[in-house]
Amino acid sequence: MKHFQQLCLFLFLAFFSHAQDAVIPAKANADYFSVPRESLFLHLDKSTYINGEEIWFKGYAFDRGKQLPSNGSTNFNIQLFNEDGQELYKGLFFGSRGSFRGNIKIDSSWSSGSYYLKA
């Protein structure tokens, strides 16, 4: 009797489930760009730094749908990570008309190596 109840429950659920609709590439592309999509780009003043210097950067928010600078975002989070993925710095920077800029002072306690900047 228990197996019969499980079978009935399975058939009931299967009856009300729906398969995925076919994806039409042109519609999927149009839907993707119907929501504003931004890409962020960072430019640094140089690629090698020493203790006591500052990392100066400029960032750009780009609207991929309109192919223009994006005016949608005004606050930008910047994070700096070491090679092990440990966050060493986190800051919030103000931007306008699709661009933002700022700097990060290099802490003397940071060891030499590769670091990663994320916007």
Side-chain angles (χ1 to χ4, degrees):
M1 187 66 161
K2 183 177 180 182
H3 294 296
F4 178 73
Q5 290 174 340
Q6 289 175 344
L7 178 64
C8 288
L9 178 63
F10 174 75
L11 292 174
F12 177 77
L13 292 174
F15 178 75
F16 287 105
S17 66
H18 299 284
Q20 291 180 342
D21 295 329
V23 176
I24 301 168
K27 183 180 180 324
N29 191 37
D31 290 346
Y32 180 78
F33 284 110
S34 66
V35 176
R37 303 287 178 177
E38 289 181 333
S39 294
L40 297 180
F41 299 94
L42 280 176
H43 295 274
L44 305 178
D45 63 332
K46 56 186 185 174
S47 60
T48 304
Y49 299 90
I50 58 173
N51 285 342
E53 289 188 325
E54 295 183 48
I55 302 170
W56 288 90
F57 60 86
K58 184 162 185 181
Y60 303 93
F62 184 71
D63 186 327
R64 295 185 299 186
K66 296 177 184 175
Q67 300 290 307
L68 294 170
S70 175
N71 293 324
S73 296
T74 56
N75 294 323
F76 298 92
N77 289 310
I78 303 293
Q79 296 170 285
L80 182 71
F81 298 92
N82 65 10
E83 290 177 311
D84 299 327
Q86 179 185 8
E87 183 182 275
L88 301 174
Y89 175 86
K90 182 175 185 178
L92 181 65
F93 293 86
F94 176 75
S96 66
R97 292 182 283 174
S99 69
F100 59 99
R101 60 186 163 151
N103 63 306
I104 300 169
K105 176 117 172 111
I106 297 175
D107 192 312
S108 61
S109 66
W110 297 348
S111 61
S112 62
S114 295
Y115 289 84
Y116 304 94
L117 204 55
K118 178 182 176 183

